[in-house]
Amino acid sequence: MKSLQDSVANLKMVGAKRLESLHELGIDTIFDLFMHFPFRYDDIQIRQISEIIDQDKVTIKGIVVTEPVVSFYGARKNRLRFKLAIEHEIITVVFFNQHYLKSRLEQGMDIAVYGKWDEKKQMLMGMKVLATKQEQEQQFASVYHTNKSIKQSVWVKLIEQAFCEYSECIQETLPVHLVQKYQFLSFEQALRQMHFPSSQHLSKEAYRRMVYQELFDYQYKLVVLKKKRYRNRVESIRYNNTVLKDYITTIPFELTQAQKRVMNEICRDLLAPFCMNRLLQGDVGSGKTVVASLAILAAMSANYQSAIMVPTEILAQQHLETLQKLFDKTSIKLALLTSSTTTKERKCILEQLASGEIDCLVGTHALIQEDVHFFNLGLVIIDEQHRFGVKQRQLLKDKASIENVLYMSATPIPRTLAMSVFGEMDVSVINELPKNRQVVKTYWVKENEMEKVLAFMKKHIHEGKQAYVIAPLIEESLDNDLKNAQEMYEQLKVWFGSSVTVALLHGRMKSQEKEAIMNEFSANRIQVLVSTTVIEVGVNVPNATIMVIQDAERFGLAQLHQLRGRVGRGEHQSYCILVANPKTEQGKLRMKIMSESHDGFYLSQKDLEMRGSGDAFGIKQSGVPDFKCADLIRDGDIVMQATQDAIEYVTILEKENEIVV
Ligand code: ADP
Ligand code: MG
């Protein structure tokens, strides 16, 4: 029985060498071949000389009126030349390095040539002779991504052959009711139109179906995964409610409504007999850490260990301190593990971890090393989760006895994107900032206004506040207009004089140095911290109220928002000053948007629109699917629709007992 899962080796044209080349392109089966779509269609409709313009790529039909002549020149170069009569005009056709065409051409022949038109010379630089009638009638030529060993013309033949031999195997892949609902082409029709479009309209229709199909298939899998997780029974975390209540009374501030709601969602997950897989989204400064502390305490009260992994050492250190302070009146035992933990210390920690003495381990990537073993890890928290790759997150999960995972993220991801990237997760959102917060006033100034900025900083520092100054690079670079952190630091030291302590922090410093500086800054023994973007994630010094960002136009909106999030973390009015002379309209627009909006969700949406999906949030890392046709930003509405359809479809299947998830 033939099947689309058959190897492409079944096609006559595919021998060992081509099999290898196809494999390199990720094509092993007939289905893979069908799904290798052209990335471009060239319009090869036959044109009149009068309607074409210089350098157009066109197809011209005519009669060969001179004997084709080949001339050789240079090492391996040759040129084939002949005249073509089109109605009353005669043009020259030249092919470079395709002298073998001569044997196929003769005077008096009726042919069509695809090529590039040179108006001045009245000459067509031939690219292809369209030999068959079918080729001449085709309106579009498909152009495929390929590697050296497979030529464009071979693709067409390969796919034609596949259609010839396997078309009866192409079955509808979408549920029939959805094909009807959206009036889609059948899968077979759509495939044919993707490869050999017969009109622009049908080509678009094929594409519309493929976009939907990709999104539906993907969402379907996510829905099934989620259901499976709910059904897969695990031991629940029976935490002690009294312990939690007592703890809450010791927190030095009142939890916001949003924090309480999110906390309940997490507690419900812990109690439920399935694994927690929850994303906690909350804008910078919304207070995610204290929520995490509640989850850690809950796990501890049920005799489970927890681990919290963060992307930088500064952050790990800071989380440890924050948690220590918060847990002051509890019996919880915390430990810190990073790459700068000494061997001796590390050994001791690993022992206490394996024996269950340590209740919560805070750390960086150091947590996922092979020899780190827990006694009974029941809760994994990954802060700034987008900073970690899928694999790293999995490694930590694998250490757990019960895979309860809480991901935390301060980069709000637009809903439609989150639905795909985090589709199998439950999502909690802290959509409220603590009451004492004031909006960070944001100003955009030009480089020549720096003097004013410095005076502003001085005034606030004399009132007891602190400031960050962000410089993008640490050493002289080719781009010498980039402010150099070192230089900036020297200048500021001179400018502020001895009454103000200025310090420098950058990524190449040893972690002890970084830590020491952060401690000094926290204690207000440093007033101005010049830093590269190492400061970007999570750092919390509420007395710092000014954030000056040099060359701000070089950052994306999401990153600027993160940087701005380092201030406005206490009750004092805070300021963010963007120093930028943007040269592009986009750069100017970004500065304007930043000065006007403080809404992380809005900014991330804008960032995506301006930069396109993908890198904006390191989403690629988070395991965003590599779609062929769909685009999570452009096709946001279809994502919503396809998700809804997938949920309904799974429910139908479950009712009919078609799937048991
Ligand atoms: P993020 O969500 O960015 O990780 P943090 O958890 O670091 O935010 O919290 C930011 C600051 O807000 C911390 O200083 C924290 O103590 C404080 N905070 C958190 N929740 C509240 C609250 N409900 N009321 C007042 N301050 C709070
Ligand atoms: Mg945080």
Side-chain angles (χ1 to χ4, degrees):
M1 261 286 272
K2 280 185 176 180
S3 132
L4 294 188
Q5 292 312 313
D6 287 354
S7 160
V8 277
N10 286 300
L11 296 176
K12 272 187 239 91
M13 296 175 63
V14 181
K17 206 172 143 228
R18 249 179 215 157
L19 192 64
E20 185 52 41
S21 308
L22 286 167
H23 177 75
E24 272 168 26
L25 290 162
I27 300 171
D28 296 309
T29 65
I30 302 288
F31 184 77
D32 297 338
L33 182 67
F34 278 137
M35 294 305 280
H36 187 73
F37 299 137
F39 72 94
R40 196 180 78 212
Y41 304 95
D42 284 337
D43 185 351
I44 53 168
Q45 244 183 119
I46 292 181
R47 300 284 186 79
Q48 304 298 319
I49 297 284
S50 55
E51 45 172 346
I52 56 183
I53 43 176
D54 192 35
Q55 301 303 310
D56 258 1
K57 283 188 184 162
V58 290
T59 305
I60 295 176
K61 206 166 160 7
I63 299 168
V64 181
V65 290
T66 62
E67 189 61 33
V69 178
V70 179
S71 42
F72 290 88
Y73 60 98
R76 276 195 213 108
K77 293 182 179 156
N78 59 72
R79 183 172 55 209
L80 173 76
R81 181 194 271 272
F82 59 89
K83 301 239 185 244
L84 197 67
I86 304 131
E87 290 173 354
H88 304 296
E89 285 171 86
I90 290 185
I91 64 161
T92 306
V93 179
V94 177
F95 278 92
F96 289 99
N97 303 323
Q98 294 193 46
H99 66 282
Y100 48 84
L101 286 175
K102 182 176 157 63
S103 60
R104 285 171 47 190
L105 298 167
E106 58 188 62
Q107 224 172 326
M109 222 177 179
D110 224 337
I111 61 162
V113 180
Y114 177 66
K116 201 187 211 177
W117 178 241
D118 187 326
E119 173 96 63
K120 224 162 89 199
K121 297 186 189 153
Q122 289 285 296
M123 184 176 87
L124 190 68
M125 313 260 269
M127 290 151 87
K128 196 175 171 195
V129 175
L130 305 176
T132 65
K133 193 151 180 4
Q134 191 205 335
E135 265 184 321
Q136 292 189 15
E137 275 166 8
Q138 214 179 307
Q139 255 192 53
F140 304 98
S142 307
V143 187
Y144 293 88
H145 277 298
T146 185
N147 52 17
K148 270 195 197 129
S149 38
I150 306 182
K151 282 200 237 138
Q152 287 298 338
S153 57
V154 174
W155 281 110
V156 174
K157 286 186 191 137
L158 274 173
I159 288 160
E160 271 172 359
Q161 202 192 340
F163 271 119
C164 232
E165 291 176 25
Y166 282 90
S167 61
E168 77 266 28
C169 303
I170 306 176
Q171 278 162 8
E172 186 50 62
T173 53
L174 283 172
V176 179
H177 73 277
L178 292 173
V179 177
Q180 282 164 357
K181 179 175 168 192
Y182 297 111
Q183 311 240 311
F184 285 136
L185 298 178
S186 72
F187 186 44
E188 189 192 347
Q189 286 170 323
L191 276 184
R192 281 188 192 276
Q193 291 298 328
M194 286 302 288
H195 290 286
F196 308 119
S198 44
S199 71
Q200 205 141 26
H201 170 68
L202 284 171
S203 165
K204 277 195 184 136
E205 280 298 295
Y207 198 77
R208 181 171 73 94
R209 187 203 142 109
M210 290 301 170
V211 168
Y212 178 88
Q213 177 176 328
E214 271 185 327
L215 293 172
F216 178 83
D217 286 351
Y218 189 73
Q219 296 299 337
Y220 174 84
K221 279 189 204 127
L222 292 182
V223 173
V224 171
L225 264 179
K226 202 165 177 174
K227 294 228 169 195
K228 264 197 184 137
R229 176 163 59 83
Y230 289 155
R231 299 268 166 92
N232 181 19
R233 306 266 137 180
V234 298
E235 204 176 307
S236 61
I237 307 270
R238 309 211 150 268
Y239 58 84
N240 183 330
N241 221 350
T242 321
V243 171
L244 287 191
K245 282 203 172 125
D246 286 349
Y247 168 64
I248 291 172
T249 61
T250 68
I251 298 175
F253 43 77
E254 167 114 24
L255 295 176
T256 61
Q257 285 309 314
Q259 282 170 322
K260 285 182 193 161
R261 189 190 65 237
V262 164
M263 193 190 85
N264 283 327
E265 288 166 353
I266 293 170
C267 284
R268 218 181 303 136
D269 277 0
L270 291 175
L271 270 185
F274 53 79
C275 289
M276 167 160 80
N277 190 29
R278 188 170 283 280
L279 174 70
L280 173 54
Q281 283 202 31
D283 214 337
V284 277
S286 62
K288 293 183 290 295
T289 317
V290 67
V291 173
S293 78
L294 278 151
I296 291 167
L297 193 66
M300 186 273 225
S301 76
N303 292 317
Y304 279 100
Q305 290 173 301
S306 41
I308 172 161
M309 182 161 75
V310 299
T312 66
E313 291 200 21
I314 297 181
L315 203 51
Q317 177 68 31
Q318 183 189 292
H319 269 18
L320 180 80
E321 281 161 20
T322 307
L323 292 174
Q324 261 163 352
K325 244 183 252 155
L326 282 168
F327 288 146
D328 192 31
K329 298 205 171 63
T330 72
S331 61
I332 223 166
K333 184 164 164 63
L334 298 159
L336 178 72
L337 187 69
T338 68
S339 53
S340 51
T341 305
T342 61
T343 322
K344 202 172 130 209
E345 244 181 300
R346 185 166 186 277
K347 188 161 167 274
C348 176
I349 287 174
L350 292 189
E351 272 169 24
Q352 295 184 336
L353 203 60
S355 69
E357 216 173 306
I358 291 172
D359 297 305
C360 175
L361 186 63
V362 183
T364 55
H365 297 79
L367 298 196
I368 58 182
Q369 277 162 357
E370 222 173 300
D371 59 344
V372 178
H373 300 289
F374 290 81
F375 176 65
N376 63 348
L377 181 60
L379 172 67
V380 166
I381 302 174
I382 300 179
D383 196 12
E384 309 293 344
Q385 64 86 27
H386 61 286
R387 290 297 184 103
F388 295 97
V390 180
K391 224 179 178 166
Q392 295 170 320
R393 291 180 293 188
Q394 188 59 45
L395 281 172
L396 187 55
K397 275 201 274 181
D398 288 346
K399 294 190 189 290
S401 321
I402 307 174
E403 280 191 24
N404 287 308
V405 192
L406 181 66
Y407 298 98
M408 304 207 289
S409 173
T411 23
I413 291 184
R415 201 167 116 79
T416 56
L417 202 61
M419 281 165 86
S420 301
V421 182
F422 306 118
E424 14 90 86
M425 297 182 190
D426 296 300
V427 179
S428 291
V429 183
I430 306 186
N431 53 357
E432 178 189 357
L433 292 178
K435 277 195 208 71
N436 58 6
R437 286 307 145 69
Q438 295 183 33
V439 164
V440 177
K441 288 190 177 155
T442 305
Y443 303 99
W444 166 26
V445 303
K446 299 287 167 58
E447 275 161 21
N448 59 13
E449 293 170 284
M450 198 56 202
E451 196 73 19
K452 269 202 314 215
V453 175
L454 291 172
F456 181 82
M457 284 166 70
K458 197 173 214 166
K459 176 168 157 273
H460 284 264
I461 288 165
H462 284 151
E463 287 166 9
K465 301 297 183 303
Q466 292 160 274
Y468 298 96
V469 178
I470 302 297
L473 279 188
I474 105 136
E475 274 167 3
E476 282 292 337
S477 72
L478 294 175
D479 258 344
N480 48 18
D481 56 353
L482 266 178
K483 293 285 170 301
N484 172 303
Q486 187 79 40
E487 202 177 282
M488 190 82 221
Y489 161 69
E490 306 288 347
Q491 280 175 5
L492 290 185
K493 235 173 26 179
V494 173
W495 199 90
F496 281 109
S498 57
S499 62
V500 173
T501 310
V502 182
L504 175 65
L505 186 77
H506 60 74
R508 292 184 208 166
M509 286 171 140
K510 290 221 183 69
S511 51
Q512 277 99 330
E513 284 177 87
K514 279 192 249 178
E515 210 175 278
I517 289 177
M518 279 320 293
N519 286 340
E520 292 291 285
F521 190 62
S522 282
N524 197 2
R525 282 191 289 270
I526 290 170
Q527 286 77 44
V528 178
L529 187 60
V530 178
S531 169
T532 57
T533 54
V534 292
I535 214 78
E536 177 194 346
V537 287
V539 167
N540 186 34
V541 180
N543 193 51
T545 55
I546 300 177
M547 167 61 71
V548 178
I549 307 173
Q550 300 284 339
D551 291 326
E553 79 277 12
R554 305 206 175 228
F555 298 94
L557 288 173
Q559 204 179 4
L560 287 171
H561 186 60
Q562 282 292 317
L563 287 168
R564 178 168 62 187
R566 296 312 109 218
V567 296
R569 298 179 82 82
E571 71 241 82
H572 320 291
Q573 176 62 56
S574 294
Y575 305 88
C576 175
I577 298 161
L578 310 166
V579 185
N581 286 9
K583 291 184 188 71
T584 64
E585 283 309 309
Q586 276 237 343
K588 283 179 198 154
L589 187 59
R590 278 212 297 277
M591 294 308 103
K592 203 162 157 276
I593 293 174
M594 270 309 286
S595 344
E596 285 165 5
S597 174
H598 299 84
D599 178 346
F601 278 91
Y602 173 79
L603 290 170
S604 69
Q605 179 71 46
K606 284 281 162 213
D607 204 23
L608 275 178
E609 285 168 14
M610 289 167 82
R611 303 215 284 182
S613 71
D615 301 326
F617 303 96
I619 288 161
K620 280 242 168 72
Q621 275 200 55
S622 316
V624 80
D626 228 347
F627 292 125
K628 285 184 200 307
C629 302
D631 177 306
L632 291 172
I633 308 306
R634 183 197 62 200
D635 303 321
D637 291 348
I638 306 173
V639 175
M640 304 268 257
Q641 194 64 60
T643 308
Q644 195 52 43
D645 292 341
I647 292 170
E648 281 169 19
Y649 184 57
V650 170
T651 315
I652 296 172
L653 290 183
E654 272 183 311
K655 273 202 192 120
E656 294 170 357
N657 280 323
E658 292 262 345
I659 48 168
V660 186
V661 291

